[in-house]
Structures are given as C-alpha cells and as structure tokens.
Amino acid sequence: MRLPAAPEYLGVVRLVATGLASRLGFTLDEIEDLKIAVDELCAYLTGPQGRDGTLEIAFQIHADRIEIRGTGLFAAGHGARTDLTELSRMILDTVTDSASLEQVDGMTRFALTKSRMR
C-alpha cells in the first residue's frame, strides 16, 4: 500500500495489520503488540509533523506470522532518522520477534516480524 507520509494515515496501516493478524488467528494481546510495533516504526518514518513524500508498506502473510516492511519515499532533504531510542528498542524487542530501522540506498526502511504464539 502507498500512503502520504503523514501521521494521520497511520491508522490505515494499523487497521490493515490488525485485520490480517486477526485472520491469522492472533490473540488480542498479540494484535495489540503488533499495533504498538507498527505505530512505533511508522512514526519514525513520518515524524510528528509528516514528511514530503509517501510511505510504501508491504505485508507478507505466513501460516504463523506476519512480516511488515515500510519504506519512506521522501523528497530530497526530508529523510527520517534511523537511530532508535533506547526506549523504542526496548518496546520493539518486547512486542515483536524482530524489528529494524535503517537507511538503504538513501531510503529509510523498517522491517518487523510478529509470530502467533499458539
């Protein structure tokens, strides 16, 4: 999916992520964890005021997990920071199987994986 890089559109990403997780049989707690992770990583891409550009979000579904990748496609000079705070790292380590945020080929990208525990 491709959306404007503005915080007000992150609810759409959460909605899709939680809908997919629900179909995979995730528990309510696992879905809440996924929403927290999506919010945390997308917020790094958009920043609090939004950015000039778009977010490209891809979902990959497996029998027992969901993988979400996000890329910020921003105008020159509008890049996002990739240095996770200690608190953000602790949150992501708690609510995901894995999560990363990095610059690749001049674009800011994140990846997260969340597995169903049952």
Side-chain angles (χ1 to χ4, degrees), residues 3 21-22 25 31 35 38 45 48 52 64-65 70 74 79 81-84 88 93 95 97-98 100 112 116-118:
L3 304 163
S22 178
I31 290 171
K35 285 182 2 183
V38 166
L45 294 186
D52 186 13
D64 63 342
R65 72 184 184 282
F74 306 127
R81 58 185 268 221
T82 58
D83 54 327
L84 291 170
S88 289
D93 286 346
V95 300
D97 300 326
S98 65
S100 64
L112 75 86
R116 186 183 65 219
M117 295 309 238
R118 292 185 271 137

Side-chain angles (χ1 to χ4, degrees), residues 4-7 42-55 71-82 101-103 106-109:
C42 284
Y44 272 90
L45 294 186
T46 65
Q49 305 301 316
R51 298 192 195 285
D52 186 13
T54 59
L55 296 183
T71 303
L73 306 170
F74 306 127
H78 289 265
R81 58 185 268 221
T82 58
L101 178 68
E102 60 189 354
Q103 284 282 338
M107 291 184 282
T108 307
R109 296 183 177 185

Side-chain angles (χ1 to χ4, degrees), residues 40 44 81-92:
E40 193 71 24
Y44 272 90
R81 58 185 268 221
T82 58
D83 54 327
L84 291 170
T85 65
E86 186 176 331
L87 178 60
S88 289
R89 175 51 51 204
M90 279 188 345
I91 290 168
L92 291 168

Side-chain angles (χ1 to χ4, degrees), residues 1 3 6-18 35 38-39 42:
M1 77 172 30
L3 304 163
E8 56 267 26
Y9 291 96
L10 298 186
V12 175
V13 180
R14 279 192 310 273
L15 184 62
V16 172
T18 59
K35 285 182 2 183
V38 166
D39 273 345
C42 284

